[in-house]
Amino acid sequence: MSTSKTSEPGVVYTKSWTVDLVLDLAGYEAGRNLVDAVAVEPSCGSGEFLQAMAERLSASCRSQGRSIWECASSIIAFDLDDRAVRESRMRVASVLVELGWNRVLSEELAGGWIRCSDFLLDGELDLVALGGGVDFVIGNPPYVRLEMIEQTAMKVYRKRYRTMSGRSDLYVGFYERALNMLASNGVCSFVCADRWMLNQYGARLREMISSGAYSVEAVVDLYGADAFHSEVLAYPAITTVRRTQEQGRVVVAKVECTPSLEGVKSLTAAVKSVRMSAAVKSLEDRSTSSEHSAVRHVVVDEWFRGSDPWPNASPGRLKLLYDLERRFPTLQDAETGTKVGIGVATGADRVFLTRDASVVERNRLLPLAMAGDTRSGTLNWSGTYLVNPWERNGKLADLGTYPKLGAYLGAAREALSKRHVARKNPSRWYKTIDKVDYALVCREKLLIPDIKNVAHPVLDRGEYYPHHNLYHITSETWDLSVLGGILLSGVCQFFIECYAVKMNNGYLRFQAQYLRRIRVPRPEEIAPDQAERLRRAFSQRDVNLATEVALEVYGIDKVPV
């Protein structure tokens, strides 16, 4: 994992308790026949996973009365760093010798198991996969943004791995290759950043997993659990995915600090129970804790399908989320005519945004609502205008018809023509990225800033056009002050905290893809007195009152932490 305080980008070593938990969740246990299984470690580093795997493999040998030499094909490990490969080989050989195996034999095994090669491109591994697949792929894949990788290699990776789309990370390709090489009933268990579960670049990977060929067994949130030997800025999680055609129950857990043995046993027992199709059918949240650790988990009866982000929630919150998703429709809804959109992106705000009303013809200026205008909770316009190149018919304005507009944009033509949107169509060099929808200006709408630490809906009564840092909500049915009260509440905050990407300092992305998924009651289900209290809460920015009424409307006692 990258974004860490290590000398090698993408490299963070895993603590032993994390390694053991990953192996336990995968079912790589000494009590099983590991000799005849094939386990792959795709990025072995200094050998944290390999040491534990060798110990368990040795115990499996002894329990069956077999020789470690029969395990020549039981482990396949990779790393691109020669030094890491040498260190891993020495570490594994030493472990085997300490366990009583012959030194020469141990060194030969370690040398054969661990290779200096690229897991994503290794040709011999292709043959292993074609030969029926592997039983386990286990480890901590590197976390490196693709733009940090040498261009030729990046193009090769993108061409081979279709899930590596957009501003992807290298670990996405590790997931794809690992899943593709699994034998029937094989399992991939990785500890990795959780960004792919939430971000757009993980959409294809999520879609692949939910395609009907795989089943998610466990998702374990490790943020704050001290899982690595160095500090990481990403949010780590363990995901365990099995190659099987039926999605079963899923164990969702949060490990809040270094766990006790009791806590780990409770979690792994739940996963084994799910694996054996004997999990408790209710969604009862079970917790275990001790003075030094806490592990919470819940067993859910279904998992998310398609490419939509996977909610990021504690076990208790996920239980509530499933309940609300079953009982209430989404915010964006054809029945109520409620839509969520984003404001205008220009690609050159320095040119298209102005506070000088004299720079172009008056009818080429559109009052623009900015995120900063919403800071107080009411819309206080800063005087910003959009220099608007669009006519009401959806066509670009003729610059000859508007000489001041033509002169103003013409002076910035060189800069405007360098934008991607202009290079695609040079004759339309002065267009903004998005068209202007004139009907939106005079519509009453709720505006929500993109990046905030709390839900912050603000009402525009139909005077302004939103900038691209604002999302807008319109409706044919809702009283927007009532809806604004619901969106101001802690229940709305709960949805966004489950769905959205976390940022530094507790900030959240209130993006359209998350806002659309919020569940809301039907307008007719809100009693008149509740509606009036929601209006008052919204106008007074009273989050406590809004939350109190929202809890009544949703029929819940509280929002769990």
Side-chain angles (χ1 to χ4, degrees):
M1 300 176 68
S2 65
T3 61
S4 64
K5 295 179 179 179
T6 61
S7 58
E8 299 173 61
V11 177
V12 173
Y13 296 137
T14 316
K15 287 192 172 180
S16 59
W17 72 261
T18 314
V19 170
D20 287 333
L21 180 55
V22 172
L23 293 173
D24 288 345
L25 293 175
Y28 193 85
E29 299 171 313
R32 298 180 58 179
N33 177 10
L34 301 180
V35 180
D36 297 320
V38 178
V40 173
E41 214 289 30
S43 182
C44 66
S46 62
E48 281 86 355
F49 278 91
L50 288 177
Q51 175 177 335
M53 292 166 73
E55 290 169 349
R56 296 182 182 211
L57 181 57
S58 172
S60 179
C61 283
R62 290 225 159 89
S63 69
Q64 299 174 67
R66 301 172 70 175
S67 168
I68 195 71
W69 184 246
E70 296 182 58
C71 301
S73 302
S74 300
I75 294 177
I76 309 173
F78 297 85
D79 206 284
L80 283 172
D81 185 349
D82 286 334
R83 183 179 59 182
V85 169
R86 290 194 301 271
E87 185 176 346
S88 291
R89 286 172 175 168
M90 288 188 291
R91 183 172 185 170
V92 170
S94 296
V95 167
L96 293 177
V97 171
E98 289 173 6
L99 292 171
W101 301 104
N102 175 271
R103 176 172 296 279
V104 174
L105 182 59
S106 297
E107 291 176 351
E108 287 184 19
L109 277 175
W113 285 344
I114 307 164
R115 60 187 68 176
C116 187
S117 182
D118 187 342
F119 170 75
L120 294 179
L121 302 177
D122 186 270
E124 291 184 37
L125 197 54
D126 291 332
L127 297 177
V128 173
L130 288 173
V134 302
D135 302 287
F136 301 94
V137 185
I138 298 168
N140 172 14
Y143 179 23
V144 184
R145 298 302 294 264
L146 281 190
E147 58 261 35
M148 303 298 292
I149 297 173
E150 192 272 325
Q151 287 292 309
T152 302
M154 181 184 71
K155 290 178 181 178
V156 172
Y157 291 149
R158 283 193 186 275
K159 184 176 181 180
R160 179 159 184 173
Y161 298 102
R162 61 171 299 276
T163 58
M164 296 176 74
S165 61
R167 298 186 64 192
S168 185
D169 281 86
L170 190 64
Y171 68 76
V172 172
F174 275 69
Y175 269 103
E176 181 177 344
R177 172 145 229 211
L179 294 171
N180 276 332
M181 69 170 36
L182 291 177
S184 177
N185 208 42
V187 63
C188 169
S189 191
F190 280 167
V191 55
C192 191
D194 70 356
R195 294 299 197 208
W196 68 275
M197 303 184 206
L198 300 162
N199 275 346
Q200 182 59 38
Y201 70 66
R204 289 184 180 178
L205 179 56
R206 295 191 298 269
E207 188 173 37
M208 176 183 176
I209 291 172
S210 65
S211 65
Y214 303 96
S215 173
V216 177
E217 285 190 347
V219 177
V220 182
D221 179 1
L222 295 179
Y223 185 69
D226 193 26
F228 303 99
H229 283 293
S230 54
E231 180 183 348
V232 296
L233 300 181
Y235 287 74
I238 300 171
T239 49
T240 303
V241 182
R242 185 170 297 277
R243 185 157 207 161
T244 179
Q245 295 182 350
E246 183 176 350
Q247 174 63 59
R249 298 185 180 95
V250 182
V251 175
V252 181
K254 182 172 181 61
V255 180
E256 296 175 330
C257 54
T258 302
S260 65
L261 180 60
E262 179 190 21
V264 171
K265 283 183 176 179
S266 173
L267 178 55
T268 55
V271 175
K272 289 179 182 178
S273 183
V274 164
R275 196 168 289 147
M276 298 300 293
S277 300
V280 178
K281 292 185 178 180
S282 73
L283 297 183
E284 179 183 357
D285 183 22
R286 296 192 242 162
S287 301
T288 59
S289 62
S290 70
E291 183 180 350
H292 302 292
S293 65
V295 179
R296 292 181 290 143
H297 73 263
V298 62
V299 179
V300 297
D301 290 321
E302 56 186 319
W303 195 244
F304 307 96
R305 311 300 291 178
S307 60
D308 285 340
W310 294 354
N312 181 19
S314 68
R317 285 185 151 217
L318 191 61
K319 173 185 173 180
L320 175 61
L321 183 65
Y322 271 119
D323 176 57
L324 296 179
E325 286 187 336
R326 280 193 294 265
R327 292 196 289 123
F328 295 97
T330 55
L331 174 61
Q332 178 156 299
D333 182 51
E335 187 175 328
T336 61
T338 305
K339 295 181 179 179
V340 179
I342 189 170
V344 62
T346 70
D349 281 356
R350 290 186 179 181
V351 176
F352 286 105
L353 272 57
T354 184
R355 293 187 182 180
D356 184 352
S358 67
V359 294
V360 297
E361 290 81 2
R362 188 70 185 182
N363 64 348
R364 299 316 324 158
L365 293 173
L366 195 60
L368 201 67
M370 307 294 290
D373 301 345
T374 68
R375 192 171 293 118
S376 68
T378 58
L379 196 53
N380 297 311
W381 185 48
S382 58
T384 303
Y385 292 97
L386 174 71
V387 176
N388 180 17
W390 299 99
E391 299 284 16
R392 291 183 180 274
N393 61 8
K395 295 182 179 180
L396 280 173
D398 181 357
L399 297 183
T401 304
Y402 303 97
K404 291 182 71 175
L405 177 67
Y408 177 79
L409 295 179
R413 179 165 185 165
E414 182 178 355
L416 295 179
S417 297
K418 292 179 180 178
R419 298 173 302 151
H420 177 69
V421 67
R423 291 199 302 269
K424 286 172 59 179
N425 195 336
S427 66
R428 295 162 63 84
W429 57 271
Y430 57 97
K431 73 186 293 288
T432 54
I433 293 174
D434 300 318
K435 282 187 178 183
V436 167
D437 177 8
Y438 277 85
L440 184 62
V441 179
C442 58
R443 287 202 67 173
E444 190 176 67
K445 51 194 171 289
L446 291 170
L447 302 178
I448 298 181
D450 180 4
I451 301 175
K452 294 287 287 186
N453 58 348
V454 294
H456 191 72
V458 174
L459 183 63
D460 171 14
R461 297 199 176 277
E463 301 177 86
Y464 306 101
Y465 202 89
H467 185 240
H468 70 87
N469 286 333
L470 289 169
Y471 292 90
H472 56 82
I473 301 171
T474 59
S475 181
E476 303 292 340
T477 306
W478 275 99
D479 176 334
L480 290 186
S481 292
V482 175
L483 181 59
I486 291 173
L487 296 180
L488 183 69
S489 74
V491 180
C492 171
Q493 179 78 8
F494 158 74
F495 280 109
I496 294 297
E497 288 175 354
C498 288
Y499 292 137
V501 171
K502 299 188 187 86
M503 301 181 68
N504 288 339
N505 301 317
Y507 283 87
L508 298 165
R509 298 299 304 273
F510 285 78
Q511 295 178 311
Q513 61 177 323
Y514 309 131
L515 294 171
R516 292 181 181 122
R517 295 180 68 184
I518 292 173
R519 263 48 179 189
V520 293
R522 295 168 181 82
E524 64 272 15
E525 295 174 342
I526 300 176
D529 70 302
Q530 292 174 328
E532 182 54 39
R533 289 156 64 204
L534 286 169
R535 290 189 196 96
R536 185 167 75 251
F538 181 60
S539 66
Q540 297 175 359
R541 312 304 292 178
D542 189 336
V543 176
N544 290 332
L545 177 59
T547 302
E548 175 186 306
V549 183
L551 291 173
E552 293 176 12
V553 172
Y554 284 94
I556 57 179
D557 295 328
K558 64 178 181 178
V559 174
V561 295

